Each structure stands twice: as C-alpha cells, then as structure tokens.
C-alpha cells in the first residue's frame, strides 16, 4: 500500500487557532506557523521553515542513530540492536499514580489513539532530521493511570539487559539510560510515546517498541525503549545531565542562542542534505515556540538550559 504524507498543508492552511485544528493538522500546519511566532518573523528562519517538513528517508532515519546501549557509533545501533527482544514488552508505571502497575504494551495500545506526527528531531550534537513518527499522546497514558496531586515530574527508564545490549557492558553511561520531564511538559499535546516510523513498527535501533518523543527538546531527552515511567515530586535523574551538568541541562530545550560549551547551537546539519549542503539555522524550541513558549514564562532559559 502506498504511504501517503500527511504534511500536505501549506502555510496558508495554518491558523493561529491551533487548538481548533485536529491533531494531525496541528503537527503539519502549526509547525510552520510556530517558527515565525518564536522568531518574530526573521526572514532567514521563515525561509528555513518553508518545506522543511519533508521527512528523511527510512534508510537515513534507521541507519544514523544514537542508542549508546548498542555502541557509540552512529551505525552501531543499526548493526547491533537486532538482538534486543521486544515482545512481550511491559512498562512499569509507579510513583504518584492512582493505578500503579506493570502494564503490557498491548494492553496500553488497545486504549490509546495512535496517529502520525511529522516532527523535526534536533540532536544536541547539531545534526537534525525530520521523522514521520506514529504514536500516542503521553497525556493519554498519564490519564489512564491517574496522576496524583503531588506529582510534578515524570521519570523514564530504558531497558537494561546487558546480554542483548553490548554497549551497556562498558561504563560509558550510568545505565540504565534515564530521563525526565516536568509534568506540564509531559502533558503537552506535542509530547508523544512513539511506536512507529513511516507507518511501520519502530525499528529496534530507533527505540522499539516504544519511546518518548519531545520535539522541542534536544534529542537525548527522547528516551528509547522505555520500560518504566515514574511520577514524582522531585526533579528526576537524567542521564546526560548527571554525566555532565555543565554541558547538558535538565531542560535541554532547543535554543540557538545558548551554545554548548564546546560548539555553537545556532545552526544544524540536516542529515541527507549532502556533504556540501549549507547548514540551516536552528529554530528556537526547534520551531515549536508557538506551542511551548508559555511553558517557560518567566524562566531564564540561559540559566535553565
Ligand atoms: N535513548 C537511549 N536509551 N539511549 C540513547 O543513547 N540517545 C538519544 C535519544 N534517546 C539515546 C536515547 C539521542 S542523543 C538522540 S539524538 C536520539 O535518541 C536519537 O534518536 P534516533 O536514533 O531515533 O534518531
């Protein structure tokens, strides 16, 4: 069956009343509008916005990966992640929730609305892609288990199975890989748990069978192969933040104005653009400022990077 793109809206179709658009239109249309809002109409950025939601190829997305559990090279995950067993898959959901438990992924999926989201992915290393995910809103899963009043953060944990994950036999990171979001970030409609790519099940190297995707944050926040979700009242352990807090903040919102101590974050290299293609400007909040700026009102984003 032919795969049809859902990003066929043009700028003219995008309306500021994004809340009235259906979710699919929101992603395709509002993304184009968002960059303009965030950057005050900077012509360069607007030009970068035009047409940049054309997804990368399956080959690019599945062969250029970061998944340190399978090695630190970009092609290591594609070579090694086949060994990971992903069925059955269970997710432990605990902490400040009404219905804690160990849930089968099939049981979760039966209750969720899976839809396509075409999102930019901006790695902290200054490369980027456009990825046609399928997934469901994390907020729906949180509602399923019932978040209790005191909860302020959501913590996530990746599978830790050294016999299937050769990279974890070395102390490259403090395994298991862990990440965290503030509760309002986790509940934001752009935040999804992805289960597919190009309408097919997520390949192991991209975080099968289920991963987080937070498109306005650097890619390392989008933790793969999630086996545990914990609601908590304290800022959770986040692997890269704990590894080097000077270089990787807890928030890690994409921000062209706050450089990494060792490189500029003002521009990025789009994977598949060719060796000599021009770098493109990085957009504030990765182009999703129209939707997420209000989450950070009054916060110094240079301090809380
Ligand atoms: N999740 C786990 N468990 N381990 C990882 O090494 N790498 C992160 C993130 N999630 C990583 C992870 C980084 S740095 C990025 S940029 C994205 O996954 C890359 O996702 P992709 O390989 O699907 O493009």
């Amino acid at each position: 069956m032919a795969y049809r793109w859902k990003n066929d809206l043009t700028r003219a179709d995008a309306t500021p009343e994004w809340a009235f658009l259906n979710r699919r239109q929101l992603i395709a249309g509002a993304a184009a509008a968002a960059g303009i809002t965030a950057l005050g109409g900077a012509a360069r950025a607007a030009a970068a916005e035009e047409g940049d939601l054309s997804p990368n190829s399956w080959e690019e997305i599945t062969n250029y990966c970061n998944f340190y559990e399978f090695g630190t090279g970009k092609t290591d995950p594609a070579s090694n992640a086949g060994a990971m067993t992903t069925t059955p898959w269970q997710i432990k959901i605990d902490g400040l929730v009404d219905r804690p438990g160990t849930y089968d992924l099939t049981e979760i999926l039966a209750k969720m609305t899976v839809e396509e989201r075409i999102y930019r992915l901006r790695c902290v290393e200054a490369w980027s892609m456009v990825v046609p995910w399928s997934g469901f809103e994390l907020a729906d899963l949180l509602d399923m288990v019932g978040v209790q009043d005191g909860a302020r953060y959501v913590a996530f944990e990746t599978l830790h199975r050294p016999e299937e994950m050769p990279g974890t036999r070395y102390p490259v990171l403090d395994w298991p890989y862990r990440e965290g979001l503030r509760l309002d970030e986790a509940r934001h409609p752009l935040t999804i748990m992805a289960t597919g790519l190009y309408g097919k099940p997520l390949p192991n190297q991209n975080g099968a069978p289920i991963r987080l995707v937070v498109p306005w944050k650097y890619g390392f926040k989008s933790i793969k192969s999630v086996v545990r979700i914990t609601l908590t009242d304290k800022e959770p352990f986040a692997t890269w933040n704990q590894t080097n807090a000077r270089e990787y903040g807890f928030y890690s919102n994409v921000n062209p104005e706050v450089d990494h101590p060792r490189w500029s974050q003002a521009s990025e290299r789009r994977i598949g653009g060719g060796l000599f293609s021009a770098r493109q400007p990085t957009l504030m909040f990765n182009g999703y400022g129209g939707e997420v700026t209000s989450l950070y009102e009054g916060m110094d984003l240079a301090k809380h990077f």
Side-chain angles (χ1 to χ4, degrees):
M1 204 182 82
Y3 193 78
R4 248 169 33 87
W5 299 121
K6 311 301 193 308
N7 63 336
D8 53 354
L9 293 182
T10 65
R11 183 179 300 265
D13 296 311
T15 140
E17 283 90 33
W18 63 273
F20 298 108
L21 296 173
N22 73 36
R23 288 172 177 178
R24 190 161 280 157
Q25 286 170 315
L26 159 67
I27 304 320
I36 303 164
T37 316
L39 291 162
R44 218 160 50 106
E49 283 291 287
E50 295 286 358
D52 88 334
L53 279 179
S54 165
N56 280 85
S57 70
W58 172 270
E59 284 68 32
E60 287 158 357
I61 298 168
T62 62
N63 287 297
Y64 191 93
C65 298
N66 274 335
F67 200 167
Y68 276 24
E69 286 85 337
F70 297 100
T72 54
K74 294 289 180 266
T75 57
D76 290 342
S79 306
N80 302 330
M84 177 170 61
T85 312
T86 57
T87 46
W89 192 269
Q90 295 179 319
I91 303 179
K92 180 175 179 182
I93 307 182
D94 61 357
L96 300 169
V97 293
D98 295 333
R99 291 171 288 282
T102 301
Y103 293 86
D104 276 319
L105 180 57
T106 46
E107 176 190 355
I108 292 173
L109 287 177
K111 296 191 178 130
M112 297 292 130
T113 306
V114 173
E115 59 192 15
E116 181 170 81
R117 298 286 180 100
I118 299 172
Y119 283 163
R120 288 180 216 91
L121 173 80
R122 172 47 160 93
C123 180
V124 73
E125 298 164 337
W127 54 265
S128 65
M129 292 193 195
V130 177
V131 185
W133 304 110
S134 28
F136 57 85
E137 292 186 9
L138 175 57
D140 291 342
L141 179 61
L142 296 178
D143 287 343
M144 187 187 104
V145 294
V147 175
Q148 295 183 344
D149 276 351
R152 292 183 54 220
Y153 294 91
V154 188
F156 303 85
E157 211 172 288
T158 294
L159 177 74
H160 182 41
R161 198 181 282 152
E163 65 277 20
E164 294 183 0
M165 300 174 131
T168 66
R169 292 172 206 154
Y170 308 92
V172 181
L173 294 173
D174 182 0
W175 314 109
Y177 195 102
R178 280 159 286 174
E179 259 308 335
L181 295 173
R182 228 168 50 188
L183 183 58
D184 57 346
E185 298 175 323
R187 296 199 72 98
H188 192 280
L190 287 174
T191 302
I192 60 167
M193 297 303 295
T195 52
L197 193 61
Y198 270 97
K200 296 180 199 159
L202 210 53
N204 283 6
Q205 60 265 38
N206 295 97
I210 183 164
R211 71 175 293 174
L212 179 70
V213 177
V214 194
W216 72 92
K217 291 179 179 282
Y218 290 120
F220 68 85
K221 297 294 289 185
S222 292
I223 181 173
K224 296 178 169 183
S225 304
V226 171
V227 292
R228 185 173 180 189
I229 298 176
T230 307
L231 277 288
T232 152
D233 57 355
K234 290 181 194 63
E235 187 178 290
F237 182 103
T239 295
W240 281 105
N241 177 232
Q242 294 286 330
T243 302
N244 190 340
R246 203 177 73 83
E247 300 196 350
Y248 308 101
F250 175 77
Y251 282 92
S252 284
N253 293 313
V254 175
N255 189 341
E257 286 157 25
V258 177
D259 287 337
H260 186 280
R262 290 182 282 130
W263 59 84
S264 165
Q265 293 292 26
S267 70
E268 64 201 52
R269 177 175 62 93
R270 176 61 53 82
I271 298 304
L275 210 52
F276 303 105
S277 73
R279 294 176 72 88
Q280 57 187 71
T282 288
L283 302 172
M284 186 64 200
F285 293 116
N286 206 21
Y288 301 98
E291 286 94 339
V292 303
T293 303
S294 62
L295 293 175
Y296 308 103
E297 228 160 56
M299 265 177 72
D300 179 346
L301 296 178
K303 192 164 160 233
H304 300 281
F305 61 96

